[in-house]
Amino acid sequence: MKRILTALVLTCTVSLQSFAQDIFLENAKFRVGDDASWSGVSVDESSWRNITNTTTWTSQGVKCENGFGWYRYHVNIPKSLLEKSDLKETVDFKMGKIDDADEVYLNGKLIGKTGRFPSDANGYLGQWNTPRLYSVKVNSGLIKWDADNVIAVRVYNAGDPGGMFSGPVCVRVPNTIDNLSIVIKEKNLTPNPSTVGEGTAVCTLNSKMDATKSGVFTVKVQDPESGKVLTEKTQKVSVNAKKSRAINLPYDNHQMVRIIATFTESKTGLSTTTQYIPKYILTPAAPAEPRFNTTPLYGVRPGSPIHFRFGVSGEKPMKFSSDDLPNGLAINPDNGALSGKLDRPGSYTFTVKAKNAKGEQTQKFTIRCGSKIALTPPMGWNSWNCWGLSVTQDKVISSSKALIEKGLADYGYCYMNIDDGWEAPKRNADGTIAVNEKFPSMKELGDWLHSEGLKFGIYSSPGDLTCGGYLGSIDHELQDAESYNSWGIDYLKYDWCGYGRKHRTEPDNQTVASYVRPYLLMERCLRQQPRDIFYSLCQYGMAEVWKWGHAVDANSWRTTGDITDTWESLYDIGFGQQPDLYPYAQPGHWNDPDMLIVGKVGWSNNLRDSRLTPDEQYTHISLWTLLASNMLIGCDIAQMDDFTVSLLCNHEVNAVNQDILGKQAQRVVLDGSIQIWSRPLSDGSYAVGIFNVGPSDARVDFKKYFKEMGISSLQSVRDLWRQQNLSTTDVNYFIPTHGVKYLKVRF
Ligand code: GLA
């Protein structure tokens, strides 16, 4: 609901004097399924449930993934509406946003369609983010004046969430101004984050009318904090259905701004306004000289092969070397990949040098060879949030190459994990697991990743089938672990799913032991392999997995159901479900609130930009680093823009996630919309995230919470995103809706 409010604030078109003639419909009758007769006027709705369109059907308890549902609205349309319009040409039905494709019927006749259903020519096309506007001519005979009209909406949803979700349906007889709309898009997000002032907003005025309309088009860039207008352009413009008008507006894309465009029509004096929040880059560009960005500590078990890459930013080419490498280890001088193995337990410290044309830097590095791996949370990529079941070997390779080319590997991202969708329908005759045609050679893929110093991850289930309906490991656990070893697997995500069917039949299924059993079994099989395999439990937090995950030697455990790229999901999983879990995280064993939802995601072949606003994305990364969460990128890295790279490659922000103390943040303040989360760091300082989860921008005086947080005075304050020191006395911060002020403080 909160997300929806913001969505309205950001995108609403305000035509003040038109409001009097609008009819708003929030509640409908609803039914899952699909039946052509439900478009008609006389339908028995007695068994239909009530639903609202202010939030998705999923959040109202409707289960309908990959399926149809129908909404039916009843509305009396008074003839008096006509008198209030200067046009009197059409009746408009503004249906809002619909997840994902729809057809709308008025009194049994189709009046509009957006997106495509799976059975349509050219197949399914989702348009969840497009506001629907369907018009009917006043004299079409379709409208029943001063009587009941039925609006029937057929909705197809691909994956959750689904349905109508952006607020009331609006029925209106439009004025001229209502037929004019403004679309704002951002273009050219600076290719090089060091260049300031390169953002451009393209504000386009469109008209639905044939007759030319004139007026004044004003676009401005505003600082939401001071309210100051930073840039403004005003033009007299004329538009009609064939001719739209655009104004390009430059802005500094390193600053949080709002783009506001207004058109005032000359004849009626009525205006329409649209607001847009563009992406903005806070992370400063890395210096050209080498800079080490990864935690200088790495855990390995004796005898296990080491695959590690020193994360160093700076101009390429770069050369890596070390004069005191422990026996048995080697560094690839060209990419900084460390390989080899250590046979005896102990702590091995050595110095690594990185050198390029601009300079050189050294860093002391320690390998702790013992019983523990994952001394800091894993960083890398997983195929699920982007490709879903359409993952292929080529897609893994393309994201891996981009991880290196775009510099993410220089910041410690190293695990490249295939999620569900790689298994063949049948095992080999000897019972070993077989890959499907999308993965020509797991061994070659693993070898190549390792040659780059990257790591290789895979997915399976303790059940007969995975969540995607592929083969699981049941009754073949040891064989599968052996296959993983032979392919060079470094990470296993082990997903409950199909095991649920077996579990339901077990006599002790009320006990924690029954939840532990399948995970313990696989742990024993993994530990028989002569390599370190990060063990990632995925069972959505059942039986309070955080209390026993370490006992099955899990390196992380999912604490919740699946995340999706909406504020509701981020809020629920991040702020709603994590506050009590901090005692359970420690080096080697981490809570996992699920993978990242920035960049281009889609859970299918159809990728889209994350639905999170820029500020929600800052909140997401800040909170996940505070939570000492797994940092698994969920988007296609090959298509990653500079904004997303800047979110993921801020070495000071990532250092919080990778801090070797391994303490997960606690929520220390809960004050209405303001939440403060804080975690102690190994250097004696604290990482502090001040979050505004409310629907409007806020000013927060940090001092107000000092007592609650045990702070008497501040010795230092650093803005982690901007990598700048701030005043220790003036600690009053502007925090945009759903945004964050992320600090490192000493007190
Ligand atoms: C479950 C998991 C997801 C993903 C899918 C794959 O839903 O929670 O993260 O692995 O299965 O089918």
Side-chain angles (χ1 to χ4, degrees):
M1 181 64 189
K2 287 198 180 88
R3 175 179 72 88
I4 303 305
L5 280 179
T6 316
L8 282 178
V9 171
L10 301 183
T11 58
C12 73
T13 297
V14 187
S15 320
L16 282 176
Q17 295 170 46
S18 298
F19 278 174
Q21 65 193 61
D22 295 346
I23 301 169
F24 292 102
L25 307 168
E26 197 173 298
N27 300 312
K29 287 289 180 185
F30 177 79
R31 184 158 173 189
V32 170
D34 194 28
D35 185 330
S37 72
W38 294 344
S39 64
V41 175
S42 343
V43 169
D44 177 6
E45 294 168 1
S46 55
S47 62
W48 291 45
R49 59 165 282 178
N50 293 325
I51 200 159
T52 94
N53 53 31
T54 55
T55 182
T56 59
W57 69 37
T58 316
S59 46
Q60 296 174 76
V62 173
K63 296 226 174 316
C64 184
E65 265 184 65
N66 305 315
F68 285 93
W70 283 73
Y71 293 72
R72 285 175 58 86
Y73 298 87
H74 290 263
V75 56
N76 183 303
I77 306 179
K79 195 138 201 195
S80 60
L81 282 191
L82 289 175
E83 290 152 25
K84 294 173 186 154
S85 162
D86 69 322
L87 282 176
K88 303 182 188 28
E89 285 175 0
T90 59
V91 179
D92 280 3
F93 296 84
K94 296 178 83 167
M95 308 303 296
K97 295 182 181 183
I98 302 181
D99 200 336
D100 293 286
D102 67 286
E103 277 174 354
V104 173
Y105 297 83
L106 178 68
N107 299 325
K109 280 259 157 37
L110 183 68
I111 61 166
K113 172 166 184 161
T114 303
R116 289 195 304 262
F117 303 133
S119 56
D120 289 345
N122 298 326
Y124 164 75
L125 175 70
Q127 297 266 320
W128 69 272
N129 202 20
T130 306
R132 275 67 163 164
L133 171 60
Y134 303 129
S135 294
V136 172
K137 290 255 185 284
V138 160
N139 54 14
S140 64
L142 258 185
I143 314 278
K144 297 184 191 170
W145 297 105
D146 294 312
D148 185 51
N149 291 263
V150 176
I151 308 169
V153 188
R154 180 188 184 207
V155 181
Y156 177 76
N157 170 39
D160 272 341
M164 305 181 71
F165 66 93
S166 70
V169 164
C170 171
V171 182
R172 63 164 54 159
V173 178
N175 279 307
T176 297
I177 199 68
D178 300 316
N179 284 322
L180 298 163
S181 60
I182 301 170
V183 175
I184 306 179
K185 289 198 169 135
E186 58 193 296
K187 114 172 169 200
N188 295 346
L189 192 67
T190 320
N192 172 2
S194 66
T195 324
V196 174
E198 301 264 330
T200 303
V202 183
C203 308
T204 310
L205 177 67
N206 302 303
S207 171
K208 292 203 310 171
M209 289 175 297
D210 293 332
T212 301
K213 299 289 166 188
S214 310
V216 177
F217 194 19
T218 302
V219 294
K220 53 189 180 187
V221 178
Q222 194 173 37
D223 172 358
E225 181 168 359
S226 63
K228 212 170 125 192
V229 174
L230 306 170
T231 316
E232 181 163 2
K233 280 191 186 174
T234 296
Q235 274 176 23
K236 284 202 168 136
V237 297
S238 301
V239 283
N240 58 37
K242 290 181 199 77
K243 188 173 74 178
S244 59
R245 297 300 295 258
I247 300 184
N248 286 2
L249 195 63
Y251 59 91
D252 170 359
N253 67 20
H254 288 213
Q255 198 189 336
M256 178 200 309
V257 294
R258 306 276 190 268
I259 312 287
I260 301 161
T262 302
F263 177 72
T264 306
E265 201 265 329
S266 309
K267 215 158 145 209
T268 57
L270 294 177
S271 338
T272 177
T273 294
T274 298
Q275 245 205 72
Y276 180 80
I277 303 183
K279 294 170 181 169
Y280 59 104
I281 293 175
L282 294 178
T283 304
E289 303 81 44
R291 183 183 68 200
F292 281 81
N293 297 308
T294 42
T295 305
L297 179 70
Y298 181 68
V300 66
R301 297 194 182 105
S304 294
I306 290 175
H307 306 292
F308 180 84
R309 185 179 173 115
F310 294 99
V312 186
S313 54
E315 217 173 83
K316 304 289 175 340
M318 200 177 281
K319 287 283 176 197
F320 297 83
S321 60
S322 170
D323 294 335
D324 55 354
L325 263 194
N327 278 344
L329 301 188
I331 294 184
N332 179 328
D334 299 318
N335 61 14
L338 181 73
S339 57
K341 57 182 168 193
L342 295 167
D343 291 325
R344 274 181 297 116
S347 201
Y348 298 80
T349 297
F350 52 96
T351 301
V352 182
K353 182 158 88 185
K355 188 171 176 186
N356 67 8
K358 293 288 156 62
E360 63 177 61
Q361 232 209 26
T362 57
Q363 178 165 292
K364 267 209 164 35
F365 197 83
T366 299
I367 298 185
R368 219 173 268 159
C369 183
S371 60
K372 267 198 190 301
I373 61 167
L375 301 181
T376 60
M379 295 176 76
W381 176 86
N382 171 294
S383 57
W384 184 247
N385 290 357
C386 42
W387 301 118
L389 295 172
S390 80
V391 62
T392 63
Q393 182 161 320
D394 285 346
K395 285 172 175 164
V396 178
I397 292 174
S398 113
S399 267
S400 309
K401 286 187 174 158
L403 185 95
I404 296 167
E405 277 156 22
K406 297 190 182 212
L408 289 111
D410 301 343
Y411 288 80
Y413 295 94
C414 60
Y415 283 100
M416 296 305 297
N417 298 352
I418 304 168
D419 206 279
D420 204 355
W422 59 269
E423 312 88 332
K426 274 209 169 91
R427 289 181 172 266
N428 297 317
D430 63 358
T432 53
I433 188 82
V435 294
N436 61 37
E437 68 293 344
K438 297 185 295 166
F439 289 87
S441 173
M442 288 295 196
K443 169 88 172 87
E444 274 172 32
L445 181 55
D447 286 349
W448 174 70
L449 287 169
H450 292 150
S451 73
E452 289 292 348
L454 303 179
K455 296 189 219 269
F456 188 19
I458 208 148
Y459 165 99
S460 187
S461 167
D464 53 348
L465 294 177
T466 66
C467 291
Y470 287 73
L471 280 190
S473 294
I474 198 162
D475 298 334
H476 294 274
E477 291 81 0
L478 184 57
Q479 264 183 325
D480 285 359
E482 284 167 355
S483 296
Y484 303 155
N485 173 52
S486 72
W487 298 339
I489 293 295
D490 306 299
Y491 189 116
L492 172 66
K493 172 173 170 182
Y494 207 42
D495 188 356
W496 178 267
C497 251
Y499 190 82
R501 276 186 293 277
K502 176 171 160 48
H503 186 251
R504 273 193 288 281
T505 65
E506 289 174 341
D508 66 344
N509 65 14
Q510 299 301 316
T511 63
V512 173
S514 71
Y515 286 91
V516 171
R517 200 177 297 133
Y519 285 102
L520 197 54
L521 175 60
M522 184 49 108
E523 188 261 345
R524 295 205 169 125
C525 301
L526 292 178
R527 288 302 289 273
Q528 287 176 40
Q529 308 312 310
R531 60 184 302 111
D532 296 339
I533 301 180
F534 183 105
Y535 191 27
S536 150
L537 271 46
C538 177
Q539 47 83 288
Y540 340 114
M542 290 184 300
E544 299 183 301
V545 62
W546 41 87
K547 294 195 173 157
W548 52 265
H550 64 278
V552 298
D553 219 358
N555 300 111
S556 70
W557 42 83
R558 275 272 298 280
T559 55
T560 70
D562 288 13
I563 199 164
T564 189
D565 59 325
T566 62
W567 171 251
E568 283 166 321
S569 173
L570 173 62
Y571 178 83
D572 175 47
I573 287 185
F575 293 99
Q577 301 195 49
Q578 306 307 316
D580 299 331
L581 304 186
Y582 65 90
Y584 306 103
Q586 52 171 295
H589 312 283
W590 309 103
N591 289 306
D592 173 8
D594 210 355
M595 299 168 295
L596 303 178
I597 38 167
V598 300
K600 280 204 187 292
V601 294
W603 293 266
S604 68
N605 248 331
N606 303 314
L607 300 190
R608 54 161 190 263
D609 273 330
S610 170
R611 308 185 216 191
L612 299 180
T613 67
D615 292 307
E616 289 165 358
Q617 300 191 44
Y618 278 110
T619 287
H620 180 28
I621 302 300
S622 306
L623 185 59
W624 261 235
T625 57
L626 280 161
L627 292 172
S629 164
N630 301 20
M631 295 291 282
L632 292 181
I633 298 164
C635 63
D636 178 17
I637 304 179
Q639 296 182 60
M640 194 184 277
D641 68 5
D642 292 315
F643 168 71
T644 311
V645 173
S646 80
L647 277 172
L648 297 169
C649 297
N650 183 313
H651 70 299
E652 295 199 19
V653 168
N654 294 350
V656 175
N657 177 262
Q658 295 291 303
D659 187 76
I660 56 173
L661 203 58
K663 291 252 184 253
Q664 176 171 328
Q666 293 186 52
R667 183 164 64 190
V668 290
V669 170
L670 182 56
D671 179 16
S673 297
I674 303 304
Q675 301 197 10
I676 304 185
W677 294 63
S678 162
R679 67 178 274 190
L681 301 173
S682 52
D683 66 359
S685 66
Y686 287 79
V688 173
I690 310 175
F691 297 93
N692 170 12
V693 299
S696 31
D697 300 339
R699 273 220 154 265
V700 177
D701 189 3
F702 185 24
K703 269 209 188 77
K704 182 176 161 196
Y705 304 110
F706 278 9
K707 206 162 156 216
E708 218 168 325
M709 293 177 65
I711 301 175
S712 49
S713 69
L714 291 170
Q715 287 162 26
S716 67
V717 182
R718 189 159 171 86
D719 182 323
L720 286 173
W721 281 111
R722 291 191 166 82
Q723 301 175 7
Q724 272 169 8
N725 293 329
L726 301 180
S727 160
T728 51
T729 48
D730 176 9
V731 289
N732 201 298
Y733 304 119
F734 173 84
I735 308 182
T737 167
H738 298 180
V740 59
K741 190 81 184 172
Y742 198 11
L743 305 173
K744 179 168 171 167
V745 302
R746 271 179 197 280
F747 57 87

